[in-house]
Amino acid sequence: MDNKTETKIEPKTGTTNFDQEALLYHQQGKPGKIEVISSKPCATEKDLSLAYSPGVAAPCKAIAKDPAKVYDYTAKGNLVAVISNGTAVLGLGNIGPAAGKPVMEGKGILFKQFAGIDVFDIEVAATDVDVFCNAVRVLEPTFGGINLEDIKAPECFEIEERLKKEMNIPVFHDDQHGTAIVSGAALLNACSITNRKMETVRIVVNGAGASANSCAKIFIALGARRENIIMCDSQGVIYKGRTAGMNKYKEYFASETEARTLTEALRGADVFVGLSVAGALTPEMLKDMAKDPIIFAMANPEPEITPDKARAARPDAIIATGRSDYPNQVNNVLGFPSIFRGALDTRSTQINEEMKLAAVHALAKLARMDVPDKVSATYGGKSFKFGRDYLIPKPFDTRVLLWVAPEVAKAAMKSGVATRAIEDWDQYRESLEALQGPSKVFIRSAINRVHQNSEANGGELPRIVFPEGTSTKVLKALATLVEERICQPILLGYPERVKEKIKALDIPLLNDVTIVHPSSHPKYFSFVEKLYSLRQRKGINLGEAERLMADPNYFAAMMVNMGEADGMVSGSSINYADAVRPILQTIGTYKEGIPAGLNFVLLEDKFLVLADTTVNFNPTAEQCAQIALQAAKIVEYFGIEPRVAMLSYSNFSGAEGTPRKMKKAAEIARTLRPDLMIEGDMQADTAVNPEIMERLFPFSGLKGGANVLVFPNLESSNIAYKLIQQIGKAEVIGPFLTGVRRSANVLQRTTTVDGIVNSVVFTALEAQFIKDALKARGKK
């Protein structure tokens, strides 16, 4: 069921401490959980004239001429109303619209957090169906969609039916359909695990309200037969001929059965679906169910039976609840944000059955995929794999949006309710990724450039070698990289062990990957001789060279040096210095190169490169200049013009010490690359804020704000990027190694699978540019 918890704190149901914590959470700072912020700058008189009078008249006139332009010039296309009258709030019942407002605000947060959708919550003081519908219907010009929430049955059925007919935007009662969609996906997978078919499965639904009604209907749409479904309410089985407590919505599910109680209905049943009250299901009732019973006890906050009691009675049971502290949480957040995303992006006139079923199947399929470490990390490092305790994706699995929204959009287009077609699905997926943070956009742009470069070279992908061939994190990252066609991976290690690890991790995409054992490689001894020739005057004799070449890190570096691979990525299991050493001793730097680290700082509307963040403690002016040029070259890989700032504590003073060093570094760099915008010495705020530069230093050649920041020493750069990473509203990826002759990067041991993917994407892109540059010079 819809778990409307707005924090990651696990609720200790019924405890005074948790209630006080929740009250403080809602009260501290600004009361409530939401605010309205401007999506456009409004800091100058010019901004104000554009945002309001007189500039605002232009879009007003355009919309008056063509009403469809409202989607181009206003927020309507990404704005949903969450509307309630407070008659069925959570498990609290009819507490009224004002008391229900915290839930509606929370719903708005979930829309924004999981799908980037803006929300206005609207609480309506109306229990009469006509009055409520009239209040909602006239809001159509404002919103792209309507999410009805916490309205009691049976009024909620009539309200949704009427508004869907009377409005030309999607109207969706999440308490009905959200639970139905997510539980439908869970049921499909539970049936698959227990070798059942939907058309023969016997289902008992306990509860006859909005959620229960919709769940039963979606089960039928998925293949279940209505005659195989028995629905119960507080008075027992809903059977043909019953008159007490009936309405037309219950009558639809009235069964031809002799059963009159829940206990009787459950005899021989395959599935129990609970949308009722805590304790409604007892262990004794479970004993007469079929083998491998499927138990969805989804009452909130306490289920009809707790999983421990259910499993004690039936160890063979598959169990789901609405609770986050048990496996298989049926949480509506897996549905409504992505469903509305697909509906809004196609400007659909409604959310129909085809769109709901598309969401069901997308969720069911996603649950069968490998779960990224990033999701596991969100849940305290717990691993998840498709099976009895993992029927549906976890709420904080960011892939849900990427899987569900496109399928909903496709269904909208196919069923004819979409008024806007999506023509490029790859581009659409990228737009969804962009909603999940700037790093997604950045990495996707790099992936696209890798693909473009590959196509320009006849489809050839960079060969990237990985010394840590049995690393779980590396292998999981490679699954993504192979699927995305980023590189041709080469794994180092004993082939049998690597293959065993691939099999154990169930990564069939890597079955055909190249695996090399260093000492068995035909060029091993020529590599030894090459290392000896490189390091014989550095204290390494032939025997030591042979020993080092058996080290996968040295062997990988030599493969890159000798052209057997285009790049390498290492360091997931050893410290940074030990991983860098083989690269510098074997591959080395190019003629003018300075080994240096850089990090990308990703903001919503731009990115910055910070250097040197990992290698040089106190570089000279000459070294700072070279570090700047290396970082600028990296920015050019992404097709962006570099704008370089040499940072200090002063602006253009050239004073003794750091300012003088950074001023000199800027002069050297400009001499070497007169085509680049390079300035210094300057303060960090001046560098990144073009208004300060233009107002106070109009003579500067740095226009538009710097995107490459070169720090005077390692201390300042390392502090800066780590501080930004922890408290800034930015994402930081890296570090990456520059100044090396070939593409080679070192991971931090704390890196995640996503971090490895990012590093390999960057390595592949860099390898392509280096290879093309060498070809242009006629070198191997």
Side-chain angles (χ1 to χ4, degrees):
M1 293 182 70
D2 191 358
N3 181 355
K4 300 188 176 69
T5 303
E6 290 89 43
T7 74
K8 293 184 183 179
I9 301 169
E10 293 295 340
K12 300 181 182 70
T13 307
T15 64
T16 303
N17 287 343
F18 184 75
D19 288 347
Q20 290 301 319
E21 192 174 9
L23 290 172
L24 179 61
Y25 172 82
H26 284 79
Q27 186 182 39
Q28 63 189 356
K30 293 182 179 179
K33 300 186 289 286
I34 59 174
E35 65 178 343
V36 176
I37 61 173
S38 175
S39 63
K40 301 292 189 296
C42 195
T44 66
E45 187 174 353
K46 175 71 175 295
D47 293 339
L48 187 60
S49 69
L50 291 170
Y52 201 58
S53 181
V56 74
C60 290
K61 290 186 288 185
I63 295 167
K65 186 176 181 180
D66 180 3
K69 293 290 184 182
V70 70
Y71 288 99
D72 298 327
Y73 298 123
T74 76
K76 177 182 172 75
N78 195 52
L79 188 61
V80 166
V82 174
I83 304 181
S84 177
N85 61 6
T87 53
V89 180
L90 299 176
L92 305 175
N94 186 356
I95 59 174
K101 185 175 175 63
V103 177
M104 305 312 123
E105 289 186 355
K107 196 82 171 192
I109 289 176
L110 299 181
F111 266 106
K112 188 69 173 181
Q113 174 76 21
F114 291 97
I117 295 171
D118 296 313
V119 163
F120 289 157
D121 66 289
I122 298 176
E123 291 71 40
V124 179
T127 56
D128 180 82
V129 171
D130 289 334
V131 174
F132 187 93
C133 287
N134 289 338
V136 175
R137 186 179 60 252
V138 296
L139 298 174
E140 183 170 334
T142 301
F143 297 101
I146 303 292
N147 182 93
L148 300 172
E149 191 79 12
D150 289 353
I151 304 168
K152 73 181 181 72
E155 289 89 338
C156 62
F157 302 122
E158 185 177 351
I159 286 170
E160 186 188 44
E161 288 171 3
R162 282 181 52 175
L163 290 176
K164 285 179 71 172
K165 292 177 182 177
E166 296 171 357
M167 301 183 77
N168 207 36
I169 57 175
V171 177
F172 185 82
H173 183 209
D174 185 51
D175 292 323
Q176 290 185 60
H177 310 302
T179 303
I181 287 164
V182 180
S183 63
L187 183 56
L188 282 179
N189 283 341
C191 287
S192 173
I193 289 169
T194 57
N195 295 313
R196 288 181 167 101
K197 294 183 178 180
M198 285 294 291
E199 58 265 28
T200 59
V201 73
R202 288 186 55 200
I203 303 171
V204 175
V205 179
N206 195 50
S211 297
N213 185 286
S214 190
C215 282
K217 286 183 176 178
I218 212 159
F219 296 159
I220 292 170
L222 292 169
R225 294 176 180 170
R226 187 163 64 167
E227 58 267 28
N228 287 341
I229 298 176
I230 294 178
M231 185 175 286
C232 303
D233 61 9
S234 59
Q235 298 183 41
V237 172
I238 298 172
Y239 58 88
K240 289 287 187 183
R242 190 182 116 173
T243 57
M246 294 293 286
N247 58 48
K248 66 177 182 178
Y249 303 104
K250 292 182 182 181
E251 190 63 42
Y252 180 81
F253 288 103
S255 302
E256 294 280 2
T257 178
E258 298 298 319
R260 292 295 182 266
T261 66
L262 177 59
T263 300
E264 293 171 354
L266 283 171
R267 288 174 185 155
D270 298 295
V271 182
F272 169 83
V273 176
L275 295 148
S276 51
V277 294
L281 185 64
T282 66
E284 289 72 25
M285 293 178 184
L286 298 179
K287 293 178 181 178
D288 291 331
M289 289 185 70
K291 180 185 176 183
D292 294 319
I294 299 167
I295 302 166
F296 291 176
M298 298 183 288
N300 255 340
E302 295 293 332
E304 285 81 0
I305 189 170
T306 59
D308 53 338
K309 289 182 179 179
R311 189 156 282 114
R314 291 299 300 264
D316 59 338
I318 292 180
I319 306 167
T321 72
R323 290 271 295 266
S324 62
D325 49 351
Y326 294 121
N328 296 323
Q329 183 194 11
V330 178
N331 192 325
N332 287 22
V333 79
L334 289 169
F336 68 83
S338 301
I339 292 166
F340 266 97
R341 184 75 273 161
L344 292 174
D345 292 339
T346 52
R347 296 180 188 170
S348 296
T349 58
Q350 61 176 278
I351 295 173
N352 59 21
E353 295 307 308
E354 291 88 344
M355 295 160 76
K356 297 172 195 172
L357 289 175
V360 172
H361 288 293
L363 287 171
K365 289 177 183 177
L366 177 57
R368 303 180 191 196
M369 306 299 292
D370 287 338
V371 181
D373 282 359
K374 186 176 181 180
V375 177
S376 298
T378 304
Y379 291 90
K382 186 176 180 180
S383 61
F384 303 103
K385 187 173 183 179
F386 179 64
R388 288 172 173 262
D389 287 335
Y390 182 74
L391 299 174
I392 43 179
K394 303 298 287 184
F396 283 96
D397 189 336
T398 56
R399 299 173 302 164
V400 170
L401 178 66
L402 308 182
W403 279 65
V404 175
E407 294 306 311
V408 170
K410 289 174 185 176
M413 291 165 57
K414 188 174 181 180
S415 62
V417 298
T419 62
R420 179 192 188 193
I422 294 173
E423 297 177 356
D424 188 330
W425 291 102
D426 288 336
Q427 189 177 68
Y428 179 57
R429 181 185 173 89
E430 290 177 22
S431 73
L432 296 176
E433 286 184 327
L435 295 172
Q436 298 178 343
S439 66
K440 296 287 186 180
V441 180
F442 180 77
I443 294 301
R444 180 55 56 184
S445 69
I447 289 173
N448 289 340
R449 292 186 73 82
V450 169
H451 290 164
Q452 291 166 7
N453 295 339
S454 175
E455 290 170 6
N457 286 283
E460 180 183 351
L461 292 173
R463 299 163 299 167
I464 308 298
V465 60
F466 300 87
E468 297 148 312
T470 57
S471 165
T472 297
K473 289 193 293 186
V474 168
L475 292 174
K476 287 185 175 181
L478 285 180
T480 298
L481 294 160
V482 169
E483 186 176 19
E484 289 265 17
R485 295 184 61 256
I486 304 302
C487 68
Q488 301 177 61
I490 302 169
L491 296 173
L492 300 189
Y494 289 100
E496 297 78 13
R497 292 182 185 175
V498 176
K499 289 177 181 178
E500 285 175 7
K501 193 64 176 285
I502 290 170
K503 184 177 181 181
L505 294 172
D506 191 23
I507 310 177
L509 285 170
L510 301 185
N511 286 341
D512 298 323
V513 72
T514 301
I515 304 171
V516 173
H517 182 253
S519 61
S520 300
H521 193 273
K523 295 188 177 181
Y524 173 72
F525 288 106
S526 65
F527 285 3
V528 171
E529 292 173 359
K530 180 64 174 178
L531 181 60
Y532 174 61
S533 69
L534 290 172
R535 306 297 297 176
Q536 60 187 343
R537 295 182 182 272
K538 302 289 186 179
I540 293 181
N541 59 33
L542 188 59
E544 178 69 3
E546 186 172 350
R547 185 189 69 79
L548 288 174
M549 197 47 59
D551 181 336
N553 291 285
Y554 275 89
F555 190 86
M558 189 59 77
M559 287 187 74
V560 176
N561 184 52
M562 300 296 286
E564 296 293 318
D566 301 309
M568 68 175 285
V569 175
S570 64
S572 71
S573 59
I574 60 177
N575 67 52
Y576 192 85
D578 289 339
V580 169
R581 190 177 300 112
I583 293 171
L584 298 183
Q585 291 183 357
T586 306
I587 301 174
T589 61
Y590 55 83
K591 186 177 179 181
E592 306 86 3
I594 300 294
L598 63 80
N599 285 73
F600 292 102
V601 175
L602 308 174
L603 303 139
E604 287 189 4
D605 57 348
K606 62 182 176 181
F607 79 92
L608 300 172
V609 171
L610 276 57
D612 168 24
T613 55
T614 58
V615 180
N616 298 283
F617 181 72
N618 190 21
T620 64
E622 291 77 11
Q623 289 173 323
C624 285
Q626 188 57 42
I627 289 168
L629 297 181
Q630 290 168 189
K633 178 59 69 176
I634 299 302
V635 172
E636 289 175 329
Y637 290 161
F638 293 89
I640 298 171
E641 181 184 23
R643 301 186 298 276
V644 184
M646 302 302 225
L647 300 184
S648 180
Y649 61 79
S650 67
N651 285 311
F652 304 104
S653 72
E656 185 67 33
T658 296
R660 183 168 298 178
K661 178 175 81 170
M662 300 311 282
K663 178 181 179 181
K664 182 179 179 182
E667 292 169 350
I668 295 170
R670 279 197 298 269
T671 300
L672 296 172
R673 284 286 306 269
D675 58 310
L676 293 182
M677 282 193 281
I678 303 175
E679 278 286 12
D681 58 298
M682 70 174 65
Q683 295 175 340
D685 57 344
T686 303
V688 299
N689 189 332
E691 290 186 7
I692 295 177
M693 184 73 77
E694 291 172 11
R695 185 174 71 254
L696 300 179
F697 311 105
F699 58 83
S700 171
L702 184 64
K703 305 298 183 184
N707 53 25
V708 177
L709 305 180
V710 180
F711 288 77
N713 53 51
L714 180 62
E715 189 174 42
S716 59
S717 62
N718 195 271
I719 289 172
Y721 97 77
K722 288 186 179 293
L723 195 62
I724 292 170
Q725 192 171 37
Q726 294 301 317
I727 66 173
K729 291 185 177 180
E731 297 180 56
V732 179
I733 63 173
F736 299 105
L737 190 61
T738 68
V740 180
R741 289 176 53 251
R742 302 288 186 268
S743 185
N745 280 295
V746 176
L747 306 165
Q748 293 181 318
R749 280 185 292 181
T750 55
T751 193
T752 63
V753 170
D754 282 350
I756 296 173
V757 169
N758 294 344
S759 290
V760 178
V761 169
F762 176 82
T763 303
L765 181 62
E766 184 180 39
Q768 289 176 325
F769 277 97
I770 291 175
K771 195 170 185 178
D772 288 345
L774 292 174
K775 282 182 181 178
R777 295 176 197 165
K779 296 181 181 180
K780 291 184 180 180

